[in-house]
């Protein structure tokens, strides 16, 4: 590369670097916006844990190329540079923008080298500077996903420069530059698909520049050969050989590319490119009109917009449409330039020809000529075509400046153009600061694009400004009444505002706009995958009503019937089937989803939850482990697998459970449940000081943590620190006055340690107010009566307690002691003896009872199934899903899985009650 740029002086390179830095310094302060969210924030291929081979199996957005929802944009080398950014700075946007800026500088310098092949030195610098500051490039440079254009352009220009060295002395062929050209074309294509078009530019260069042919000469030679009056010249044969090698290599690249996309074109909706689904002649007229629209953006980049889809440019439906004049004018001008460049020899015609090649050939993939694309106009695809435009402008400027009468005005105009373009670029960069600023700037240019209204709504929604977001979503439905995504957005926002009736109405409108299934016939229409989420969102909404679960299930099945590979439908249906107490069917749903995506950690986690419901702890643990194998930081899998290990009672599993909980609290340092369960594990291992430290940390994070407060008090009582337990119990009972276990423990400590009979009596009476049939509370109140030497009342109390638990031997034994005391007093009229018998027995049995008094409930922790993210996310954090995903399906815990956890906890609590009755006082 250094050798290629040998003709570029250090001063010229420094000038370009300075100009680019002056125009784009503020891009470093921009975040991830628009398509950056899907390509960077939601793309798992950037993570070091993802195998590198995935980059060559997935599209630009991290979706497997085999899936229909894939955009089929295969750019693994560009994704690799994103991955390198992530490796050094994770999701720090500054590093991504800085690397884009560097790549733009490289493109400008290499472009200067190319310009010098066709222009003089001064004009070449002018062309390069105009290219460096042109505002049309802000989308490619300031938008992080525009890196595909930058990288592809570097190798595109390098491939062309390499090919220019393929002509040796005496018109011989030098094969090494040609081989390097083929390699660089392949690399450029792996950065972005348009890289392959440089082959066409090399062919034109070879015929009209390197060999010096003009169109009349070629036609004359062809006529002579056809008439048999001459043979093909040797130089022409050499040219044909070089062209055949180039074309064959290109054909090979095309075949490989078709294989990569598995001969499937991406699915685009009619909103992405309305003209593509329009009838003739509207389709042809509109596609032709888009060419002068793109040319005008290069000529006058005053009104730029990040999204030109939907109704931005109305269809040209009639030959009488006045816009056809612009189309005709454009083709007349283009035709005249083509005729001039091909017909006449000379440097000027050669310069114009190469400029036209740079404008036209790289634009062909975006022109809808061979296949429909997913946009109407995209400013970033003009990055390479603008090179040809800049060469044309510089060439024209040179012609003007060479005329003495126009020299000064030409310099003034050049300075004005460069200055205004630089200012526009600098100002335009600020539009990319955030999604809100970007889409609001777009709405100033175009108010007829529903997608822009939707995206402003999404930006406000991410800021939890639902009321204002709703206004923009509703405006989107008014601009484009048949936009399914807009109605889905309205429904989701109503749901966020707890207006379920309005939400359902909006979802039903969206559903009515979907293609309808004809009973008995196979559904064959290709539907945009994101639109199918209307069934998921509507089902998720109505299943909150217990009487409409079957209706929700029908919606999930309808989505699956439309797309059997719709993974999210299986996931959501699995959650619903668990709620309907159909775990076996839920298991089937998750297994089907796993067939579609075996590396999805969330699916393995969900399946583990099903096995918990099926009471198969061993299989549940296997699935938790599988989830952690694919995602070692899966927080819910870490937490719940540790709980499962802890609850198994197997001491061999405790070390691993502890490690997972430690990993969990590292990921979620503000979640008190992690520290609480570490404390419970330490209690099981008799590590009292460690358990105390963990419990205290949990309580610091969550002062009203019921289970942590009680178990810390219990820990103190088990380690002869009963008086330290009292303040903890006071806090517990302040938050939860009806905490029976806390009242029992407090009463025991007051009676046996502080000898506060009155305080203990109040505790036990409070228990009986809450639960008159509480055996333990009733029994302990009997002991209080005995301590107060009211033997008659104690006897009556014990009789009532025995009636509640007739099989409890210790109650009968204590009753016998009391009756013995009464009989002894009656016989001897002696004073009441010290209450050593009953009280001592109670204290002894309390010790064993405490072993079964632990609370194992994890407060405020949801054992939930997690839904899958496509562009996802999630997280996202993201954003995720713009018009195509109901966010709560992936971000919130599900009520039905909470119910599973409650059942499990309730079962454990019942077991404690039984053990406590068997072993209690």
């Amino acid at each position: 590369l250094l050798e290629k740029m040998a003709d570029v002086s250090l001063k010229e390179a420094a000038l370009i670097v300075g100009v680019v830095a002056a125009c784009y310094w503020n891009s470093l302060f921009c975040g991830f916006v628009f398509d950056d969210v899907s390509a960077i924030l939601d793309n798992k291929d950037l993570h070091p844990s993802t195998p590198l081979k995935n980059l060559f199996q997935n599209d630009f957005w991290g979706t497997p190329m085999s899936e229909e929802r894939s955009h089929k944009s295969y750019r693994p080398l560009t994704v690799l540079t994103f991955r390198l950014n992530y490796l050094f700075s994770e999701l720090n946007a500054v590093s991504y923008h800085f690397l884009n800026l560097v790549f733009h500088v490289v493109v400008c310098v290499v472009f200067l080298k190319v310009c010098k092949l066709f222009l003089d030195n001064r004009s070449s610098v002018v062309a390069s500077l105009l290219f460096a500051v042109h505002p049309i490039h802000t989308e490619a440079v300031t938008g992080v996903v525009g890196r595909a254009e930058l990288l592809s352009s570097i190798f595109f220009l390098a491939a062309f420069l390499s090919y220019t060295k393929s002509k040796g002395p005496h018109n011989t062929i030098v094969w090494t530059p040609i081989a390097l050209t083929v390699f660089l074309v392949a690399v450029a294509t792996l950065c972005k698909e348009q890289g392959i078009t440089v082959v066409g530019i090399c062919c034109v260069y070879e015929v009209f520049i390197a060999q010096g042919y003009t169109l009349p000469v070629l036609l004359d030679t062809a006529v002579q050969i056809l008439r048999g009056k001459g043979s093909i010249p040797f130089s022409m044969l050499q040219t044909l050989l070089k062209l055949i090698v180039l074309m064959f290599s290109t054909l090979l690249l095309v075949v490989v590319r078709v294989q990569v996309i598995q001969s499937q074109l991406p699915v685009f909706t009619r909103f992405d490119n309305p003209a593509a689904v329009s009838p003739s002649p509207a389709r042809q007229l509109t596609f032709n009109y888009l060419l002068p629209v793109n040319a005008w953006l290069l000529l006058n980049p005053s009104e730029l917009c990040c999204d030109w889809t939907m109704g931005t440019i109305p269809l040209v439906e009639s030959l009488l449409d006045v816009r056809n004049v612009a189309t005709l004018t454009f083709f007349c001008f283009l035709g005249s330039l083509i005729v001039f460049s091909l017909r006449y020899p000379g440097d000027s015609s050669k310069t114009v020809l190469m400029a036209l090649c740079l404008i036209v050939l790289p634009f062909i993939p975006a022109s809808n000529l061979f296949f429909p694309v997913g946009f109407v106009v995209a400013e970033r695809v003009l990055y390479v075509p603008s090179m040809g435009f800049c060469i044309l402008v510089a060439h024209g400027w040179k012609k003007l400046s060479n005329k003495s009468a126009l020299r000064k005005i030409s310099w003034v105009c050049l300075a004005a153009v460069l200055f205004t373009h630089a200012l526009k670029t600098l100002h335009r960069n600020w539009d990319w600061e955030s999604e809100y600023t970007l889409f609001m700037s777009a709405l100033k240019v175009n108010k007829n694009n529903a997608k822009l209204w939707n995206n402003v709504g999404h930006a406000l929604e991410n800021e939890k400004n639902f009321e204002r977001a709703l206004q923009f979503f509703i405006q989107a439905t008014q601009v484009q009444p048949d936009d399914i995504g807009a109605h889905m957005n309205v429904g989701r926002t109503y749901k966020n505002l707890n207006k379920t009736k309005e939400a359902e109405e909006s979802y039903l409108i969206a559903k009515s706009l979907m293609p309808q299934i004809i009973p008995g016939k196979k559904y064959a229409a290709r539907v945009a995958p994101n639109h199918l989420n209307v069934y998921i969102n509507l089902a998720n909404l109505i299943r909150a009503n217990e009487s409409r679960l079957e209706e929700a299930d029908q919606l999930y099945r309808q989505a699956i019937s439309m797309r059997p590979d719709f993974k999210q439908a299986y996931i959501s249906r699995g959650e619903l089937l668990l709620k309907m107490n159909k775990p076996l069917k839920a298991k089937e749903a998750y297994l089907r989803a796993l067939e579609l995506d075996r590396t999805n950690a969330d699916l393995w986690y969900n399946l583990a939850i099903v096995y918990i419901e099926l009471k198969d702890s061993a299989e549940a643990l296997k699935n938790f482990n599988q989830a952690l194998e694919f995602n070692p930081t899966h927080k819910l899998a870490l937490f719940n697998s540790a709980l499962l290990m802890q609850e198994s009672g197997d001491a061999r599993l405790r070390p691993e459970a502890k490690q997972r909980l430690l990993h969990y609290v590292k990921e979620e340092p503000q979640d008190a449940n992690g520290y609480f369960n570490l404390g419970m594990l330490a209690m099981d291992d008799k590590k009292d000081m460690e358990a105390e430290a963990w419990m205290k940390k949990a309580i610091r994070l969550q002062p009203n943590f019921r289970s942590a407060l009680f178990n810390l008090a219990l820990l103190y009582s088990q380690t002869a620190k009963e008086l330290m337990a009292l303040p903890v119990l006071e806090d517990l009972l302040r938050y939860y006055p009806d905490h029976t276990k806390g009242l029992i423990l407090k009463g025991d400590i007051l009676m046996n340690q502080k000898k506060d009979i009155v305080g203990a009596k109040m505790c036990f009476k409070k228990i009986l107010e809450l639960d008159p049939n509480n055996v333990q509370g009733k029994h302990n109140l009997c002991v209080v009566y005995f301590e107060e030497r009211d033997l008659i009342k104690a006897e009556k109390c014990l009789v009532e307690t025995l009636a509640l638990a007739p099989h409890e031997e210790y109650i009968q034994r204590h009753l016998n002691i009391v009756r013995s005391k009464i009989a002894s007093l009656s016989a001897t009229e002696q004073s009441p003896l010290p209450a050593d018998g009953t009280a001592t027995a109670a204290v002894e049995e309390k010790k064993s009872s405490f072993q079964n008094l632990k609370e194992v409930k994890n407060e405020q922790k949801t054992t939930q199934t997690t839904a899958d993210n496509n562009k996802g996310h999630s997280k996202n954090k993201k954003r995720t899903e713009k018009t195509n995903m109901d966010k709560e399906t992936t971000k919130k815990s599900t009520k039905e899985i909470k119910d599973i956890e409650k059942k499990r906890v309730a079962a454990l609590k019942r077991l404690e009650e039984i053990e406590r009755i068997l072993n209690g006082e």
Side-chain angles (χ1 to χ4, degrees):
L1 189 63
L2 289 174
E3 186 178 325
K4 289 183 176 63
M5 292 193 293
D7 292 341
V8 177
S9 70
L10 187 60
K11 286 183 179 179
E12 291 167 341
L15 175 63
I16 290 172
V17 170
V19 169
V20 171
C23 289
Y24 285 100
W25 63 269
N26 57 339
S27 70
L28 299 179
F29 300 95
C30 297
F32 295 116
V33 297
F34 205 16
D35 289 339
D36 298 347
V37 175
S38 301
I40 309 296
L41 299 181
D42 297 340
N43 193 346
K44 294 180 181 177
D45 287 348
L46 272 63
H47 301 171
S49 58
T50 303
L52 272 175
K53 66 177 183 179
N54 284 26
L55 272 64
F56 295 90
Q57 296 172 346
N58 298 343
D59 67 12
F60 189 49
W61 318 99
T63 306
M65 294 292 288
S66 57
E67 293 190 14
E68 189 176 355
R69 64 190 178 94
S70 167
H71 280 215
K72 311 301 181 187
S73 45
Y74 188 65
R75 304 162 192 172
L77 296 186
T78 304
V79 179
L80 183 61
T81 65
F82 292 150
R83 186 169 173 135
L84 291 173
N85 269 121
Y86 188 92
L87 186 65
F88 288 105
S89 65
E90 294 194 347
L91 295 176
N92 181 359
V94 174
S95 73
Y96 294 80
H97 287 293
F98 178 74
L99 198 54
N100 271 25
L101 194 153
V102 170
F103 286 144
H104 184 52
V105 168
V106 174
V107 174
C108 293
V109 173
V110 181
F111 176 58
L112 175 58
K113 170 65 177 173
V114 172
C115 289
K116 291 189 176 187
L117 296 174
F118 313 110
L119 295 168
D120 61 32
N121 195 62
R122 187 174 62 183
S123 301
S124 297
V125 173
V126 168
S128 185
L129 288 175
L130 182 58
F131 179 81
V133 303
H134 203 296
I136 202 73
H137 299 154
T138 50
E139 183 169 338
V141 181
T142 309
V144 177
V145 294
R147 186 177 300 176
E149 315 291 337
L150 307 176
L151 282 173
S152 180
S153 298
I154 291 172
F155 295 107
F156 179 102
L157 295 174
F160 177 70
L161 285 172
S162 176
Y163 187 79
T164 60
K165 299 181 183 299
S166 65
K167 181 180 177 181
H170 309 295
N171 209 25
T172 56
I173 300 175
V174 184
W175 289 105
T176 302
I178 295 176
L180 180 59
T181 296
V182 172
F183 171 75
L184 290 171
V185 169
V187 174
T189 307
L190 290 174
C191 293
K192 192 177 180 186
E193 298 79 359
Q194 70 181 23
I196 201 169
T197 60
V198 72
V199 173
I201 295 173
C202 291
C203 291
V204 173
Y205 173 83
E206 176 65 32
V207 174
F208 296 100
I209 310 299
Q211 301 301 328
Y213 295 121
T214 61
L215 192 58
V217 171
L218 290 175
L219 291 174
D220 184 57
T221 304
V223 169
Q224 294 297 323
I225 294 169
L226 290 173
R227 289 179 176 177
K229 295 182 180 180
S231 59
I232 303 175
F234 180 71
S235 62
M236 193 171 287
L237 286 173
Q238 284 186 310
T239 300
L240 284 173
L241 180 60
K242 291 171 75 173
L243 296 183
I244 288 169
V245 170
L246 277 177
M247 298 308 295
F248 179 78
S249 62
T250 304
L251 183 62
L252 188 63
L253 283 173
V254 170
V255 170
V256 171
R257 184 68 175 84
V258 170
Q259 287 297 315
V260 166
I261 67 171
Q262 302 182 357
S263 303
Q264 286 184 335
L265 289 175
V267 179
F268 297 118
T269 69
R270 59 194 174 87
F271 303 117
D272 295 322
N273 189 352
V277 295
S278 299
S280 298
R283 181 169 65 252
Q284 291 79 11
L285 291 174
T286 305
F287 283 159
N288 284 317
Y289 172 66
L290 293 179
L291 299 177
V293 169
N294 281 279
W296 181 250
L297 285 175
L298 288 174
L299 194 62
N300 178 29
S302 59
E303 292 188 339
L304 300 177
C305 181
C306 63
D307 193 307
W308 295 79
T309 55
M310 292 189 146
T312 305
I313 299 176
L315 295 173
V316 181
E317 298 179 304
S318 167
L319 290 170
L320 300 177
D321 193 312
V322 70
R323 290 175 292 175
N324 289 319
V325 175
T327 305
L328 188 61
T329 304
F330 171 78
F331 277 110
C332 288
F333 182 71
L334 182 65
S336 63
L337 288 177
I338 292 172
V339 169
F340 169 77
S341 62
L342 293 177
R343 185 170 181 178
Y344 302 104
D347 292 340
S348 182
S349 61
K350 290 178 181 180
T351 300
V352 171
L353 178 61
M354 292 312 299
L356 289 176
C357 286
L358 282 168
I359 291 172
V360 174
L361 295 180
F363 187 74
I364 286 176
S367 66
N368 294 283
L369 185 62
F370 297 113
F371 47 82
V373 295
F375 52 84
V376 178
V377 173
E379 293 165 13
R380 62 182 176 275
V381 304
L382 293 173
Y383 189 76
V384 177
S386 69
M387 295 178 185
F389 172 77
C390 292
I391 290 175
L392 273 182
V393 172
H395 182 58
W397 175 83
K398 183 182 78 170
K399 295 284 187 184
L400 291 175
S401 63
N402 285 340
K403 296 179 180 180
S404 57
L406 299 174
R407 184 173 300 157
K408 287 185 178 180
I409 194 170
S410 67
W411 277 100
V412 170
C413 289
L414 175 65
V417 167
L418 290 175
F419 181 72
T420 55
H421 277 44
L423 277 182
K424 174 66 177 177
T425 298
L426 190 67
H427 182 265
R428 174 66 173 157
N429 288 334
W430 288 121
D431 291 342
W432 292 80
E433 184 177 13
S434 69
E435 294 210 319
Y436 180 77
T437 57
L438 179 65
F439 297 127
M440 285 301 290
S441 71
L443 280 176
K444 292 175 184 176
V445 175
N446 171 37
K447 290 181 170 59
N448 296 321
N449 185 341
K451 192 174 178 182
L452 294 175
W453 292 99
N454 279 320
N455 285 337
V456 174
H458 287 305
L460 293 167
E461 188 179 35
N462 291 336
E463 297 172 0
K464 306 300 181 186
N465 191 346
F466 298 121
E467 292 284 356
R468 191 150 175 250
L470 182 62
Q471 297 172 10
F472 282 88
F473 290 141
I474 291 174
Q475 182 64 36
T477 64
Q478 293 171 353
V479 170
Q480 191 85 40
D482 56 352
D483 181 8
I484 296 172
H487 290 288
M488 290 167 63
N489 291 336
V490 172
R492 185 183 61 253
T493 310
Y494 273 130
K495 184 178 179 182
N496 288 333
L497 293 169
N498 296 317
K499 297 180 179 180
T500 54
K501 182 182 177 183
E502 292 87 346
E504 184 174 349
E505 288 173 358
S506 296
Y507 285 142
L508 287 172
I509 293 172
K511 181 173 174 285
S512 70
L513 295 170
M514 293 287 290
Q516 299 303 306
I517 298 177
I518 301 173
K521 290 190 178 182
K522 185 178 179 181
Y523 187 82
R526 296 178 80 191
V527 181
N530 58 328
H531 285 170
L532 283 173
N533 282 298
V534 66
Y535 295 99
I536 307 300
N537 296 349
L538 181 57
N540 290 348
L541 181 72
I542 66 175
R543 77 183 192 186
N545 186 337
E546 296 288 337
S547 65
R548 301 180 71 183
L549 299 183
E550 288 292 344
E551 186 182 346
D553 189 37
Q554 176 62 32
L555 287 166
Y556 292 135
R557 284 186 278 123
Q558 189 173 352
I560 290 169
S561 70
M562 295 177 81
R563 283 184 63 94
D565 63 344
F566 190 23
K567 180 175 60 182
Q568 185 59 46
Y570 293 105
I571 294 172
S572 298
R573 186 166 185 247
E575 295 176 1
L576 177 68
L577 290 168
L578 276 176
K579 185 175 183 178
M580 296 170 72
N581 199 26
K582 296 179 181 179
L584 290 175
K585 286 190 175 182
K587 176 182 168 184
E588 289 176 12
Y590 287 132
L591 288 174
R592 178 72 183 95
L594 279 169
E595 289 175 15
L596 300 170
D597 185 3
R598 293 199 63 80
T599 62
N600 189 306
D602 290 336
L603 284 173
W604 289 105
Y605 172 82
N606 290 358
L607 193 56
I609 298 299
V610 172
Y611 280 115
I612 288 176
E613 181 70 4
L614 291 170
K615 306 295 189 292
D616 191 343
S617 299
E619 200 62 36
L621 189 55
K622 286 181 185 177
N623 285 276
F624 279 137
N625 292 340
Q626 196 73 46
L628 291 169
E629 183 179 327
F630 291 114
N631 181 5
T633 61
H634 195 291
K635 288 180 270 195
L636 287 170
L638 285 168
F639 182 84
N640 289 295
S641 62
L643 278 189
L644 205 58
M645 292 175 179
Q646 183 180 358
E647 292 166 4
S648 70
D650 188 343
R652 293 170 298 178
L653 294 177
R654 286 180 196 159
E656 177 61 22
K658 181 177 180 181
Q659 287 306 311
R660 293 189 182 186
L661 286 172
L662 287 171
H663 194 167
Y664 176 78
V665 297
K666 183 179 177 183
E667 296 290 327
E668 287 285 345
Q670 297 303 311
D671 185 2
N673 291 282
Y675 303 106
F676 167 73
N677 282 283
L678 281 166
M680 296 297 286
L681 272 176
M683 287 179 72
D684 291 339
D685 288 333
K686 311 300 181 186
K687 297 177 180 178
D688 300 331
M689 291 182 66
E690 183 181 333
E692 180 183 353
W694 289 125
M695 292 295 182
K696 284 182 174 180
K697 190 157 190 178
I699 293 166
R700 277 199 299 273
L701 287 171
Q702 187 180 328
N704 65 339
F705 197 154
R706 177 187 176 114
S707 298
L709 287 165
F710 177 77
N711 282 286
L712 179 59
L714 182 62
L715 176 66
Y716 285 141
S717 70
Q718 289 175 325
T719 53
K721 299 177 182 177
E722 288 89 346
L723 296 182
M724 291 179 67
L726 279 177
V728 180
L729 288 169
E730 292 291 347
D731 288 340
L732 172 68
L733 294 170
R734 186 173 71 254
Y735 290 117
Y736 308 101
D738 56 349
H739 196 289
T740 305
K741 293 179 186 178
L743 288 166
I744 289 173
L745 186 56
K746 182 182 177 183
D748 285 339
I749 294 172
L750 289 174
M751 183 168 62
N752 295 305
Q753 300 299 321
K754 295 199 73 176
K755 306 303 179 183
D756 183 356
I757 306 299
V758 175
K761 186 175 182 180
M762 290 174 62
C763 290
F764 300 138
K765 281 190 172 182
K766 175 69 174 176
I767 293 169
L768 294 177
E769 287 175 11
L770 296 169
D771 179 12
N773 295 323
N774 187 291
V775 175
Q776 196 170 0
K778 185 88 170 173
H779 173 266
N780 287 6
L781 184 61
C782 301
V783 175
V784 169
Y785 292 147
F786 189 90
E787 288 285 346
E788 292 177 336
R789 295 173 171 76
D790 192 341
L791 298 182
I792 301 301
K793 205 167 187 178
E795 179 189 25
K796 181 183 178 183
C797 178
L798 286 167
V799 169
E800 292 172 354
T801 307
L802 189 61
L804 293 174
H807 302 294
E808 296 297 337
E809 183 273 335
Y810 74 92
I811 300 175
Q812 183 64 60
R813 187 171 69 250
H814 294 172
L815 179 58
N816 293 338
I817 292 172
V818 171
R819 284 175 173 170
S820 173
K821 296 290 183 183
I822 292 172
S824 175
L825 283 173
S826 299
T828 62
E829 296 182 357
Q830 293 179 350
S831 299
L833 295 174
D836 53 350
T838 305
T840 303
V843 171
E844 289 301 317
E845 296 196 21
K846 174 169 67 72
K847 291 179 181 178
S848 62
S849 173
F850 279 154
Q851 304 305 316
N852 300 295
L853 199 57
K854 287 185 186 176
E855 284 198 358
V856 296
K857 180 180 177 185
N858 289 296
E859 311 254 332
Q860 300 176 338
K861 186 70 195 173
T862 304
T863 305
Q864 66 178 50
T865 56
T866 54
D868 182 58
N869 259 319
N870 325 302
K871 250 171 163 240
H873 195 174
S874 290
K875 294 196 153 204
N876 216 203
K877 307 157 189 155
K878 346 316 114 297
R879 31 54 142 239
T880 141
E881 311 275 353
K882 302 298 176 201
T883 62
N884 66 339
M885 179 60 75
D886 204 1
K887 295 183 179 176
E888 55 269 20
T889 63
T890 59
K891 298 293 174 67
K892 295 186 179 178
S893 58
T894 57
K895 183 176 180 298
E896 56 271 31
I897 305 304
K898 286 183 182 177
D899 294 340
I900 294 171
E901 182 65 11
K902 287 178 181 177
K903 289 177 185 175
R904 188 151 59 93
V905 171
L908 288 166
K909 290 176 75 176
R910 284 196 298 274
L911 181 61
E912 288 177 17
E913 288 292 336
I914 293 168
E915 290 177 345
R916 190 165 60 249
I917 290 171
L918 290 173
N919 301 307
E921 296 168 16

